[in-house]
Amino acid sequence: MSPTTRASRRRRPAAVTIHDVAARAGVSVATVSRVLNRKTPVREETSRQVLEVARSLRYVPNVAARSLSIRRSHTIGIVLPEVHGDFFSEVIRGIDLAARRAGYHILVSGSHSDRNEMLEVLAAMRGRVDGLIVMSPDVALSALHDQLADQLPLVLLNSVAEGHTAITIDNYGGAHAMMRHLGTLGHSRIAFIKGPDRNADASERLRGYRHAMRQIGGRAADLEVPGEFSEESGYAAAGSILARHERPTAIFAANDAMAVGVLSAVAAQGLNVPADMAVVGFDDIPIARYLAPPLTTVKVDIAELGRRSFEAVIDRIDRGLPDQPRHECIPTSLVVRQSCGAATSLRRTKKASGKKKTTRQEEI
Amino acid sequence: MSPTTRASRRRRPAAVTIHDVAARAGVSVATVSRVLNRKTPVREETSRQVLEVARSLRYVPNVAARSLSIRRSHTIGIVLPEVHGDFFSEVIRGIDLAARRAGYHILVSGSHSDRNEMLEVLAAMRGRVDGLIVMSPDVALSALHDQLADQLPLVLLNSVAEGHTAITIDNYGGAHAMMRHLGTLGHSRIAFIKGPDRNADASERLRGYRHAMRQIGGRAADLEVPGEFSEESGYAAAGSILARHERPTAIFAANDAMAVGVLSAVAAQGLNVPADMAVVGFDDIPIARYLAPPLTTVKVDIAELGRRSFEAVIDRIDRGLPDQPRHECIPTSLVVRQSCGAATSLRRTKKASGKKKTTRQEEI
DNA sequence: CGCCGAAATGTAAACGGTTACATTCGAGAC
DNA sequence: GTCTCGAATGTAACCGTTTACATTTCGGCG
């Protein structure tokens, strides 16, 4: 029974397989496989021959068969709360870029911060991916332990949990630096619009705010207002802040989306930013510089976050898992624009370049 | 040789397979498979038994093996110019939602509108996906014909090409409706900031603008300014428009990102929107309503675009390809806010609900 | 000229499912 | 009790690779 005999036995037009290539090139499938995977010595001559036949036949290896055999899918799974929005899509982009270079694919799914949905997604990815990048700022990871415990290399994004490798943003440092900046400008009654209660980023930013407030000597608690990271919640929060009898002089929104809402609310009351009220955010979303006035904020290199997390999974995949969990922290930088009322000369401050945590950059 | 004998022969901890389940449940692998796939009659009793064992063993079918056997990956590929940004990430979200419901996964990659990169991505997806959703507003699809021609079900997003099913947005209708609206408000010297030259969306929007200008009687050509769909290019374009000696009374940016730049530029010149200059955009990105002043724009249901395109691929996958290419068009709706200077009473106009093309909705 | 060992290649057994086909089971008809 | 026939289940081939192990090839050497 020649190798070609069983071509197109069942459904479909039948694709060309490694057997077809082998037959046509007059060698065995093993040789073809070796040539294609650059393994073990194959005579130059044979190699060229095989390659040529493969190309002429438009042979494309069947990934399923390959995966089944080598037990690798060359795909990594990404589970995020959402798959849209400035932040998440930028993370995806960062990962995609790195993955592509490494010959990997990405499988993306949003969990909507819902425990069951998350479990579902995780279950569905099982077996499809060689590693997992999970971001779950809201859902307690312990709840997912069962699914995550299986021996898949895992990297946590912006959330920490014992025993797992994690990559996070320096939320605390960023918030703290922003507060120092506001302090420098003379502000001390600084209101803070918080993010969702159990969101890890949000609570770190809050921690930075509180710590700085304590240093400044303000009573932070009175000035904290709840928010949900949405423009709408920022708008609402600003409303409540502006209504205070002892009005703060600055508003620090825990993310830019809320800052956008704040700007809108402040303008709606006929007040001027930054003259009547300084407004700052966190994230440096693309439109931040185009707001009126341009928003002072904390810049986060999100794509880098994605890139690093990919490197981390790959690392664990490649050397088998048994290395201990690491924890990386991506530095942030202050971007001073006009909404904070700072003099707007172009100036760039870098502390001893290199391992700086939070750099500061001012722009026009 | 009992089925369990060959467990863990090669690498890795060895996962539990269908054979293990079969052995433990005292049935054959065929029966297990049938139970799990709800195929052909299996006795209620047996079924329960198998299900129980499977659960207790935490059995998860190996997708690679399954794919290899049934020649389906239950995954569809998505190729977009970029994977981040408001528009693209929203498309991904729409597709993800629909896909998840149907038990499908998505494989995403960005092409950066580069021909070679696109070919690469397409090649890498071959065999991994059951169908493709491709958006390539810039790259001529003919260049990709070779890769696309293979028998994979394909749906084009926002671009049309002979012989392919396509889903597009009613860019023409949306732009035209916006122009009618501006006309109603008394504008006739309306500048238009175009999108990238060979971008399909951009040229349709331009077509809508031109057609409307002809009806209004203006000489459109003078008033068209190049743009690149970025905030920055909008800013620059606005600058050149404002410098004209016979200044237009309104600026229509081909997308919201550019409109953001325009607002910023107009403000920078100390002019007021809409009093001195009406500004409108296209897309209705999330922050549009929070801009100062809130932006009048054309709303596009992007998630819906994603959803529909998914339905379309699935359709073709399920019934085998041989149905003729369809072409669907997603309607748009006018969102009147304040940047156009219209009276801002809340009013909602719907023409005979149902197959309306462009609806108009005004809001506070 | 036969022998040796390394290099090159071939053979066939996995990988873990699905499913065509064969087999067994069991209830009702006679 | 036997026969019949559909329902339930089992057997094993097949999906297309990779790769351990077996086999062949071949250049040099005694």
Side-chain angles (χ1 to χ4, degrees), chain A residues 1-177:
Chain A
M1 144 170 18
S2 97
T4 50
T5 318
R6 62 168 169 42
S8 82
R9 186 78 61 85
R10 275 208 273 183
R11 288 135 300 194
R12 298 250 189 146
V16 13
T17 78
I18 198 175
H19 287 98
D20 303 329
V21 177
R24 186 75 158 271
V27 298
S28 74
V29 293
T31 300
V32 176
S33 176
R34 283 191 275 255
V35 170
L36 265 24
N37 299 303
R38 307 186 171 61
K39 289 272 187 65
T40 55
V42 176
R43 199 146 37 105
E44 174 67 19
E45 168 67 17
T46 319
S47 177
R48 197 177 30 250
Q49 170 74 353
V50 168
L51 252 17
E52 190 164 324
V53 172
R55 204 163 40 73
S56 79
L57 253 38
R58 303 179 126 272
Y59 167 68
V60 179
N62 177 312
V63 279
R66 172 170 240 268
S67 288
L68 177 58
S69 188
I70 66 179
R71 288 137 160 275
R72 279 277 178 94
S73 63
H74 284 279
T75 300
I76 62 146
I78 307 178
V79 183
L80 303 174
E82 291 289 343
V83 297
H84 70 309
D86 284 316
F87 186 89
F88 304 117
S89 64
E90 186 71 9
V91 170
I92 296 176
R93 172 165 161 269
I95 300 177
D96 182 43
L97 248 45
R100 186 112 43 100
R101 260 199 309 273
Y104 271 72
H105 282 258
I106 60 179
L107 214 49
V108 186
S109 260
S111 67
H112 303 111
S113 295
D114 175 79
R115 186 172 168 278
N116 289 324
E117 201 165 341
M118 188 131 185
L119 285 172
E120 231 171 71
V121 168
L122 251 22
M125 281 191 171
R126 250 188 121 170
R128 252 173 231 274
V129 300
D130 295 340
L132 229 31
I133 296 179
V134 173
M135 174 157 171
S136 164
D138 301 303
V139 177
L141 283 153
S142 52
L144 308 172
H145 202 267
D146 265 17
Q147 279 299 325
L148 297 176
D150 66 0
Q151 66 280 46
L152 262 191
L154 168 71
V155 168
L156 261 26
L157 223 60
N158 261 27
S159 33
V160 289
E162 275 186 81
H164 290 299
T165 287
I167 318 273
T168 57
I169 284 170
D170 184 19
N171 287 302
Y172 171 84
H176 199 269

Side-chain angles (χ1 to χ4, degrees), chain B residues 10 27-28 30-31 34 41-43 46 68-69 71:
Chain B
R10 276 206 272 183
V27 298
S28 74
T31 300
R34 283 191 275 252
V42 175
R43 202 147 33 107
T46 318
L68 176 57
S69 188
R71 288 132 161 276

